[in-house]
Amino acid sequence: MFSTPTLALLGLLSLFSPAAAQTWSSCNPMTNTSCPSDPALGTAVTFNFTTQTSTDASVWNATAGKVDYQTEGAFFTINQRGDSPTIQSNFYIFFGTVEVIMKAASGQGVISSIVLESDDLDEIDWEIMGGNTTHAETNYFGKGNTTSYNRAIYYPVDNPQENFHNYTVVWSQEKIEWLIDGDIVRTLLYADALGGLDFPQTPMNVRLGIWAGGDSAEPNGTIEWAGGLTDYSKGPFSQVVSSIRIVDASKGASYTYGDKTGSYKSIKIASGNSTLAQTVNAPPPMSPVQKFQSLSKTAQIGIIAGAGSAALVLLGLLICCCVKQRRAGRRERALVDADYEKRTAELMAYRTEMSKQRGAGERTLLGKAVDTALVPVHAAISKPAQRAYLGTLLFVTTSLILLCTSTFAYVLFYYNYVPQIGVERTVHLQFGNGNPYGIASIASSLVSLQPYDISLFLHLPRTPGNLAAGNFMLDLAMLSPSDSISSPADLVSSALVSRNASGSVLALSRRPAILTYASPIIDTASKLSSLPWYMLGWRKESEVLEVSMFEGVEFSKGWRNVPDKVQVIVEADEKMQFYEVGIKIIARFGGLRWILYNHRILSYLFFTTTFFAVSLTSTFVAYLLLSSYLSPASSSTLKPDSGVYIKSDPSASDSEHFNPLSTSDLSDTSRTFPTLGRQMPLHYSSRTEAMKREEEDPKVKREEVDEIERATGVQSLVAEADDEDEDDDAEAFSFRDSGIGTSLDDGDRRGIQRRRKGLFGGVDRG
């Protein structure tokens, strides 16, 4: 520890310290009467820098560098010469408390500082030199007065560059107290500061920062005070602040200087609520998850069920689209394949007929048996059967998916809507600072709008001290998630809890308790009768008390209104001993929750079936709507004899369009066909072209046909038709090969005759 002469010397050197490097005023009310009012904090607030990612510009003003926020807290770092990162509050306090959890920066000549500064240069300081690993400096100024040099005093602290410590200033009208880790190290009375003239007493803002007092540009006195020249090559140097708690002892919207005296009596406090207090106490913006959690359980379940239903409907629609598109593709392909299949069928019919004529009519018994056996096989693998299989598979798959989703939705609904019926937590009591106290977490165990019975159970030995305590009080407070306990001392007094009840304590109860009384004779007789059990360790001289603290307590909606921890304080005149202390919470179910909990199977069947039915109905309706929307009204077919595509209804059966006597399906393209035996090949000329040429010049048309026959040696189909006419009387019903791979009946032959006659103007050329 420094000697008195050393302290005096350091105090003298501190005169040259530019604590002024971070202490300045944009408008001094001692010299300027038009200075604006200072915005008041007007409340108490804690800033946890370990959870921040950036500086809140509405609360803090960052200067001379950037502050980096990490898991340990806010890092004020000197990376190079000229860096001096500092944050200054945009609000002022008029007496109060400033409590900073900080780890100072290392490095010779580097100063980590906590400064309270007013517009008229009243100042209260904490300053830690980077090269001093054993002491921290306390200092103050009044109205910028530097005529005396005995204000700075150093106090021991354990390695401030490696360890976090609590540096606190408690400031009132009567005195200023500096504390390290809760212990008062210095007290300055109002009268001791030059009769109050140098006593800091005007509204101050709060400044945190780091600067290089050992920079070579600083005066020699400052460099000596800082501990020597700063070697920037050994950097970076970082001051780390994990949190700061600020309490404004005054209440109001702003503070204004009434005159130039600089006295606290001249400060005028504007009534109203501080806007900055509303800003700093405003809850942080909620993430989507927190917004969802803040909803009621019913709303959460509704959103989840709605999203699940929408997903199922979309899945069903997607399946329907795929199926519909596949069917449309099959229809289009069927139109393309129709002509090919028809021609193939005609060819196969022709070959079958020819085979029969060649004497292959007697089929073996085995062949008939095979054909008969294959009939069900063909039916089973036919296209209608395949469509039925696919439809059944889709229906079963969709039903299973909906059933699984319904079960999952019910399970999710149950576990979100029905809370735990019983919750037990052990409370670990702390001793050594007045009454025993303890805190236990019950996070995510309770829900809003649900009545609970809450009781404390205490396992106590029947010691003389516990028996002598007689009646003692149990204090139980249900704390909200936003509550934070700054120190163990806050738990000792229930009065403190009452003061915080407006924001952090959701429910508070105090109940008496006492061990069961037994007269000395009864107690002795009871112990003697149970002596063997005591000796075997099967019984102990203890008692378990269960004290009801709340009956049917209920919490409002919102996650901030549901407690996540409990605080227990045991108040007794005597020192008491405990084996165990715990809390028991029992939910009083009613209405739907009672039904769901007491009739689980019936509830599961009812809700799952209902959800499944609604989902299945919705999917079916969506399928019908989509089918009607995507189903084509007609398909394209070729109009006979015109080459133009027209629309026809694909749903109509083939029987509605097929006419065995119609020649509209015959090709009108000029072709040459092979014939059987030694007959000449048949040549067919287009009817359209022939009629056109016949209209132009029938004689020329006949000559062209004769010329083609002489040149190619191919007999015209018209001529063949004439030959057929000659044999009509003798072979009216006999079979004749048409030469085009198709067997024609008698009606078709008569149709060909009519076409031939029409081709040559109604004159039989045969």
Side-chain angles (χ1 to χ4, degrees), residues 702 715 717-727 753 756-757 760 762-766:
R702 179 70 253 181
Q715 184 180 3
L717 183 62
V718 178
E720 180 68 18
D722 293 342
D723 293 339
E724 292 175 1
D725 288 341
E726 294 175 358
D727 298 334
Q753 287 184 2
R756 175 185 59 77
K757 293 179 179 180
F760 294 99
V763 179
D764 187 356
R765 301 285 184 177

Side-chain angles (χ1 to χ4, degrees), residues 264-275:
Y264 70 87
K265 297 179 180 179
S266 68
I267 302 301
K268 299 179 180 179
I269 303 175
S271 60
N273 296 322
S274 169
T275 56

Side-chain angles (χ1 to χ4, degrees), residues 207-254:
R207 307 178 186 188
L208 305 172
I210 184 175
W211 58 285
D215 190 89
S216 58
E218 298 289 345
N220 291 333
T222 301
I223 296 174
E224 292 180 22
W225 167 80
L229 287 170
T230 301
D231 185 358
Y232 292 99
S233 65
K234 295 182 179 179
F237 311 108
S238 294
Q239 167 194 1
V240 185
V241 179
S242 65
S243 66
I244 178 171
R245 179 172 177 264
I246 304 174
V247 179
D248 190 355
S250 302
K251 306 295 179 183
S254 62

Side-chain angles (χ1 to χ4, degrees), residues 114-191:
I114 304 168
V115 178
L116 280 69
E117 183 84 9
S118 69
D119 292 344
D120 63 358
L121 300 181
D122 281 349
E123 182 180 334
I124 304 173
D125 299 332
W126 274 108
E127 291 179 306
I128 298 96
M129 288 69 176
N132 189 338
T133 61
T134 58
H135 288 76
E137 180 200 87
T138 63
N139 206 348
Y140 72 94
F141 292 89
K143 310 300 181 290
N145 181 12
T146 57
T147 58
S148 60
Y149 316 112
N150 59 349
R151 293 183 297 274
I153 301 179
Y154 291 75
Y155 292 95
V157 60
D158 180 26
N159 200 350
Q161 291 80 13
E162 296 294 332
N163 301 321
F164 282 94
H165 292 281
N166 187 327
Y167 302 93
T168 303
V169 172
V170 179
W171 173 41
S172 65
Q173 299 174 4
E174 297 82 16
K175 61 183 177 180
I176 300 174
E177 293 177 335
W178 287 262
L179 298 87
I180 298 178
D181 295 331
D183 297 326
I184 299 175
V185 296
R186 180 180 181 182
T187 301
L188 173 69
L189 299 178
Y190 181 88

Side-chain angles (χ1 to χ4, degrees), residues 332-344:
E332 294 176 2
R333 181 58 185 268
L335 293 175
V336 175
D337 293 343
D339 183 63
Y340 174 79
E341 292 177 355
K342 180 178 179 180
R343 295 180 186 278
T344 302

Side-chain angles (χ1 to χ4, degrees), residues 420-743:
Q420 293 177 262
I421 191 171
V423 179
E424 289 191 13
R425 295 289 186 273
T426 299
V427 180
H428 300 284
L429 295 182
Q430 306 296 312
F431 295 86
N433 190 4
N435 295 318
Y437 60 89
I439 291 180
S441 174
I442 54 172
S444 304
S445 298
L446 308 184
V447 298
S448 59
L449 304 179
Q450 168 61 51
Y452 289 97
D453 294 334
I454 304 176
S455 60
L456 290 175
F457 61 89
L458 300 89
H459 188 192
L460 301 91
R462 294 182 62 83
T463 60
N466 285 350
L467 294 172
N471 280 314
F472 56 93
M473 296 300 297
L474 298 176
D475 188 321
L476 177 62
M478 313 295 289
L479 305 180
S480 69
S482 60
D483 181 56
S484 60
I485 303 300
S486 60
S487 65
D490 292 345
L491 299 173
V492 177
S493 171
S494 294
L496 177 63
V497 175
S498 300
R499 287 196 299 270
N500 293 336
S502 60
S504 62
V505 177
L506 300 175
L508 180 65
S509 176
R510 287 167 53 83
R511 301 287 173 89
I514 188 173
L515 286 170
T516 304
Y517 172 76
S519 64
I521 296 177
I522 299 299
D523 185 54
T524 302
S526 176
K527 290 179 180 178
L528 288 174
S529 63
S530 304
L531 187 58
W533 312 120
Y534 287 113
M535 295 179 65
L536 292 173
W538 294 352
R539 185 173 296 181
K540 295 181 180 180
E541 293 187 72
S542 62
E543 184 176 349
V544 177
L545 298 180
E546 184 167 347
V547 181
S548 177
M549 303 299 293
F550 293 100
E551 295 82 22
V553 64
E554 191 172 326
F555 304 100
S556 303
K557 288 184 178 180
W559 66 275
R560 292 183 180 274
N561 298 322
V562 179
D564 71 341
K565 51 185 172 291
V566 296
Q567 168 191 307
V568 178
I569 301 176
V570 181
E571 300 178 10
D573 296 332
E574 300 289 336
K575 194 72 172 181
M576 298 188 67
Q577 299 84 36
F578 301 88
Y579 284 139
E580 184 183 12
V581 176
I583 184 171
K584 183 184 296 183
I585 304 174
I586 303 297
R588 286 187 183 179
F589 287 157
L592 182 59
R593 284 175 175 160
W594 184 89
I595 296 174
L596 293 174
Y597 182 79
N598 291 280
H599 302 281
R600 295 183 180 88
I601 297 178
L602 292 178
S603 300
Y604 165 77
L605 294 176
F606 174 77
F607 284 99
T608 303
T609 303
T610 302
F611 188 89
F612 174 77
V614 172
S615 302
L616 191 61
T617 303
S618 302
T619 304
F620 181 71
V621 171
Y623 171 77
L624 292 179
L625 294 177
L626 190 63
S627 299
S628 62
Y629 176 75
L630 296 179
S631 178
S634 60
S635 59
S636 299
T637 57
L638 184 64
K639 182 177 180 180
D641 302 331
S642 66
V644 179
Y645 279 93
I646 62 173
K647 295 291 184 177
S648 62
D649 186 2
S651 62
S653 63
D654 292 341
S655 60
E656 295 176 0
H657 297 279
F658 178 69
N659 183 1
L661 300 178
S662 174
T663 60
S664 62
D665 291 337
L666 296 178
S667 174
D668 195 37
T669 304
S670 298
R671 296 181 182 177
T672 299
F673 302 96
T675 60
L676 298 177
R678 298 180 180 179
Q679 298 183 20
M680 295 293 292
L682 298 179
H683 176 76
Y684 173 75
S685 299
S686 171
R687 297 195 307 266
T688 304
E689 297 178 1
M691 293 175 66
K692 183 177 179 181
R693 293 181 181 182
E694 181 72 15
E695 292 174 357
E696 294 175 355
D697 190 347
K699 181 178 181 181
V700 173
K701 172 60 181 176
R702 179 70 253 181
E703 292 177 352
E704 289 179 355
V705 172
D706 294 340
E707 182 64 26
I708 291 173
E709 292 178 354
R710 286 193 300 270
T712 62
V714 177
Q715 184 180 3
S716 172
L717 183 62
V718 178
E720 180 68 18
D722 293 342
D723 293 339
E724 292 175 1
D725 288 341
E726 294 175 358
D727 298 334
D728 278 346
D729 295 336
E731 301 178 6
F733 300 97
S734 64
F735 169 79
R736 176 168 176 80
D737 178 24
S738 65
I740 60 174
T742 305
S743 60

